Amino acid sequence: MASRVALVRLRGEDALLSWLRGRLDRPLIGDDAAVLPRPGPFAVTVDSQIAGVHFPADLDSAAVARRLLAVNLSDLAAMGAEPAFAFLALAAPPGFDHKRFFRALLAACARYRLRLAGGDLATSPAAGAIATMTLLGTKAAKARWLRRGGAEPGHVLWLGGTVGESAAGRLLIGGGARLAGRRIELPALPSAWSHSPGLAAAARRAVRRHLLPAPQLELGRWLGGAGAGGAIDVSDGLSRDLHRLCRESSAGAEVSAEALPLPERFAPLCAGLGVDPRELALSGGEDYVLLFTLPPGVTPAPRFACHRIGTITRGKRILLRRGGRRDDLPALGWDHLG
Amino acid sequence: MASRVALVRLRGEDALLSWLRGRLDRPLIGDDAAVLPRPGPFAVTVDSQIAGVHFPADLDSAAVARRLLAVNLSDLAAMGAEPAFAFLALAAPPGFDHKRFFRALLAACARYRLRLAGGDLATSPAAGAIATMTLLGTKAAKARWLRRGGAEPGHVLWLGGTVGESAAGRLLIGGGARLAGRRIELPALPSAWSHSPGLAAAARRAVRRHLLPAPQLELGRWLGGAGAGGAIDVSDGLSRDLHRLCRESSAGAEVSAEALPLPERFAPLCAGLGVDPRELALSGGEDYVLLFTLPPGVTPAPRFACHRIGTITRGKRILLRRGGRRDDLPALGWDHLG
């Protein structure tokens, strides 16, 4: 009970909420619950971001807000949903810059036409912040929700972007890379890299991609109207999330290792980090690109930069084709209770 | 990044989710977001429960689940809403009994006709669990939502039950009282109490009230159909929540200190704890009873055990009448950023 302070006068919390309501257009905050002014149907998702688990404990509170929103929006993207309402539960340690956090959150909400409609504030029992966001998304009348269970044998398997880069960024952060203002600092570069501006740039892109992922809402919207089969966002690792997609669809898959889209200069970056690029691509996680299936002949527009990586098959086996060989692809990736 | 374990095979998390889905009727879990099968309108609330902040770190995980649900349901009660859907974000330390938590949560959800529709699991960065629940509630077609802003001058101010008892329970827990199975143990009783079974029983009731509050959903439902004015649930302290109700209603209030409903044997219990009963009743918080206003002449049925404690007035002053005196009642209570 230590971090609650009894018998205080109206101050921090109500003052902050009052400041926040002043920045909201037609605020929904102020009652015990928010009455949503728009009818459903709704798709609802919840995701947490925890300092020291999902992001470095010293990360700028504005970046925490953006990352929190992005990973949740990625779930709505995977449903083909339009962002509608956001609810925040934030437990922050003393000294946390709430106003900076909320300014960044509100700016990002505005960009995605999302209304912050309520939440809960508390003191963190840990050294860093713990933030949970609930998002409600709607869909256009004629669109369908995207589901994990919609993949069918014969469908082509697609990826909405490169994989592995976020995990490389996480490794770089573990080695001392950090966000300083808008710049990425790389204090502990392997000496070979300092002679290669291209590699340093690739490292900075990886760190940025990890800290500030870009949810593929426009792609999800397009897929919802284009007759996509199954869809999931790659958060826990490509192979693990592919297993989930296939399990929900009662189908198998065959993925081509050579077809996996890797970021520019990814191989030398991984060499510098001492990791296998293909392994990072298959199991690194937090890529926040959509993994989806389409009937043969349906192709996403070039602006989406999607990559064909395999096919959906009958049966339950999930295979990785490499050279002439085909091996079982295990469900490698993050286990949040691991 | 320390508490994430890379490159694990499908195990803890997916196995737990699979176990959980097997216990849900028509599970909504399995996609990136839950598509709600019921149209709105919805009232949405979010509240966190944090070990060491809101409950003792050694609390039985079943009790954590029940408390988490109860405090959130209390917010729906204050809106006159019917529970509909629940979303859980749970960050738990290693060794946390997830199955015990979920069994208790699902049993409580069934009792309140609430569907657990999704969530997120993570490893806690703190020694104890951090749980956030989002609830969506609906309302009957003819009922109104209860709002904080509906109090009008001339309305009678009511309380849905006694206040101060939960705060006394919190003090007892700070002194060593604990829940052991279904029993409340009181290892550190003031010696005078051991001669009074009545006092020990009052202490046990207070601890139980604190750990396992009872949301007043039936009262909220009745108020939604009975033309109630303003309503709020008392979570942060009667005086503080009364300030909020009055602020949203642009009104004042006058409360009678003598009319405050106190639990049985509350005065000797507080004497043993060395605290002022009236102060605990006004600012202790976590009572989870409804504070509401009704037009004169409208009276809740006796089964709701409500108490008339004052009136809503013109102006903005919030006064406490005691004996012949009337003094300003400050907004005492919890500040979650305090």
Side-chain angles (χ1 to χ4, degrees):
Chain A
M1 313 276 125
S3 54
R4 301 192 84 183
V5 179
L7 307 181
V8 294
R9 287 180 181 251
L10 208 66
R11 53 170 201 195
E13 189 185 4
D14 279 356
L16 180 62
L17 287 179
S18 164
W19 173 86
L20 184 59
R21 284 174 74 178
R23 284 163 186 264
L24 295 170
D25 184 30
R26 295 163 295 141
L28 296 171
I29 296 173
D31 273 300
D32 287 280
V35 173
L36 303 184
R38 190 195 287 192
F42 290 113
V44 187
T45 182
V46 179
D47 249 318
S48 296
Q49 287 283 300
I50 301 176
V53 178
H54 302 95
F55 61 86
D58 66 349
L59 186 63
D60 176 0
S61 66
V64 173
R66 287 185 203 112
R67 188 170 211 268
L68 174 68
L69 194 57
V71 303
N72 274 281
L73 285 169
S74 183
D75 281 326
L76 288 191
M79 301 297 293
E82 297 287 339
F85 300 103
F87 294 83
L88 168 77
L90 174 65
F96 184 83
D97 191 338
H98 280 91
K99 289 196 178 176
R100 188 168 168 77
F101 176 92
F102 277 111
R103 275 195 203 98
L105 186 67
L106 292 180
C109 282
R111 197 174 317 130
Y112 292 108
R113 299 177 172 218
L114 188 60
R115 289 179 75 178
L116 181 63
D120 180 55
L121 298 172
T123 302
S124 174
I130 299 148
T132 299
M133 180 155 271
T134 307
L135 290 187
L136 280 79
T138 56
K139 67 172 180 62
K142 289 184 184 167
R144 282 185 318 110
W145 299 113
L146 297 175
R147 311 295 287 252
R148 292 181 181 174
E152 288 176 27
H155 276 187
V156 177
L157 186 64
W158 294 82
L159 254 184
T162 62
V163 282
E165 191 172 34
S166 174
R170 191 174 57 235
L171 292 171
L172 285 158
I173 290 167
R178 56 190 291 276
L179 179 72
R182 295 185 169 274
R183 274 185 54 80
I184 304 290
E185 287 178 358
L186 300 168
L189 277 185
S191 63
W193 295 13
S194 31
H195 304 299
S196 165
L199 262 185
R204 285 198 182 87
R205 277 197 306 272
V207 172
R208 196 177 298 280
R209 168 94 175 259
H210 179 72
L211 294 176
L212 301 169
Q216 302 195 299
L217 287 159
E218 201 194 337
L219 174 58
R221 213 172 282 143
W222 179 83
L223 289 169
I232 188 172
D233 81 316
V234 180
S235 54
D236 293 340
L238 172 58
S239 60
R240 184 160 194 165
D241 288 322
L242 176 60
H243 270 259
R244 288 173 172 155
L245 182 84
C246 288
R247 195 168 58 236
E248 295 299 324
S249 299
S250 303
E254 187 173 313
V255 174
S256 159
E258 283 79 13
L260 291 180
L262 303 180
E264 207 183 324
R265 294 188 194 243
F266 192 57
L269 185 67
C270 287
L273 290 165
V275 290
D276 178 59
R278 204 74 61 178
E279 202 168 288
L280 222 53
L282 283 168
S283 61
E286 301 190 279
D287 306 294
Y288 299 112
V289 293
L290 299 188
L291 173 67
F292 58 94
T293 79
L294 285 170
V298 184
T299 302
R303 74 175 185 282
F304 292 126
C306 293
H307 301 264
R308 201 184 289 249
I309 62 163
T311 49
I312 298 296
T313 57
R314 287 187 198 287
K316 298 203 163 182
R317 288 185 73 184
I318 296 172
L319 299 168
L320 183 68
R321 188 162 23 88
R322 189 192 303 222
R325 289 185 53 177
R326 295 192 308 172
D327 297 302
D328 281 308
L329 176 64
L332 299 171
W334 293 114
D335 185 316
H336 297 277
L337 304 181
Chain B
M1 314 275 123
S3 53
R4 301 192 83 180
V5 180
L7 306 182
V8 294
R9 289 182 180 251
L10 207 67
R11 55 170 199 193
E13 189 185 6
D14 279 356
L16 180 63
L17 288 179
S18 165
W19 173 86
L20 186 59
R21 284 174 74 178
R23 283 161 187 268
L24 294 171
D25 184 30
R26 295 163 293 140
L28 297 171
I29 296 174
D31 273 300
D32 287 281
V35 174
L36 303 183
R38 191 196 285 191
F42 289 115
V44 187
T45 181
V46 179
D47 249 317
S48 296
Q49 287 283 300
I50 301 175
V53 178
H54 302 95
F55 61 87
D58 66 350
L59 186 63
D60 176 1
S61 67
V64 173
R66 289 187 201 110
R67 190 172 210 266
L68 174 68
L69 193 57
V71 303
N72 274 281
L73 284 170
S74 184
D75 281 325
L76 288 190
M79 301 296 292
E82 296 288 339
F85 300 103
F87 294 83
L88 169 76
L90 174 65
F96 184 83
D97 191 340
H98 280 90
K99 289 196 178 176
R100 189 168 167 79
F101 176 92
F102 277 111
R103 275 196 203 96
L105 187 66
L106 291 180
C109 282
R111 198 174 317 131
Y112 293 107
R113 299 176 172 218
L114 187 60
R115 289 179 74 178
L116 180 64
D120 180 56
L121 298 172
T123 301
S124 174
I130 299 147
T132 299
M133 181 155 270
T134 306
L135 290 187
L136 280 77
T138 56
K139 67 172 180 62
K142 289 183 183 168
R144 282 186 317 112
W145 298 113
L146 297 174
R147 311 295 287 252
R148 291 182 182 175
E152 288 176 25
H155 277 188
V156 177
L157 187 64
W158 294 81
L159 254 184
T162 61
V163 283
E165 192 173 32
S166 175
R170 192 173 57 234
L171 292 171
L172 285 158
I173 290 167
R178 57 189 291 274
L179 180 70
R182 294 185 170 276
R183 274 185 55 78
I184 304 291
E185 287 178 358
L186 299 169
L189 279 185
S191 63
W193 295 15
S194 31
H195 304 300
S196 164
L199 262 184
R204 286 199 181 87
R205 278 197 306 272
V207 172
R208 195 177 299 279
R209 168 94 176 258
H210 179 72
L211 293 177
L212 301 169
Q216 302 195 300
L217 286 158
E218 202 195 336
L219 174 58
R221 212 172 282 143
W222 179 83
L223 290 169
I232 187 171
D233 81 316
V234 179
S235 55
D236 294 340
L238 172 59
S239 61
R240 183 159 195 166
D241 289 321
L242 175 60
H243 270 259
R244 289 173 172 155
L245 182 85
C246 287
R247 195 169 56 236
E248 295 300 323
S249 298
S250 303
E254 188 173 312
V255 174
S256 158
E258 283 79 10
L260 291 180
L262 303 180
E264 207 183 323
R265 294 188 193 242
F266 192 59
L269 185 68
C270 287
L273 290 165
V275 290
D276 178 58
R278 205 74 62 178
E279 201 167 288
L280 223 54
L282 283 168
S283 61
E286 301 191 280
D287 305 293
Y288 299 112
V289 292
L290 299 188
L291 174 67
F292 57 94
T293 78
L294 285 170
V298 184
T299 301
R303 73 176 186 283
F304 292 125
C306 294
H307 301 264
R308 201 184 288 251
I309 63 164
T311 50
I312 297 296
T313 57
R314 287 186 199 287
K316 297 203 161 179
R317 289 184 73 184
I318 296 173
L319 299 168
L320 183 68
R321 190 160 23 88
R322 188 191 305 220
R325 289 185 53 177
R326 295 193 308 172
D327 297 303
D328 281 310
L329 176 65
L332 299 172
W334 293 113
D335 185 316
H336 297 277
L337 304 180

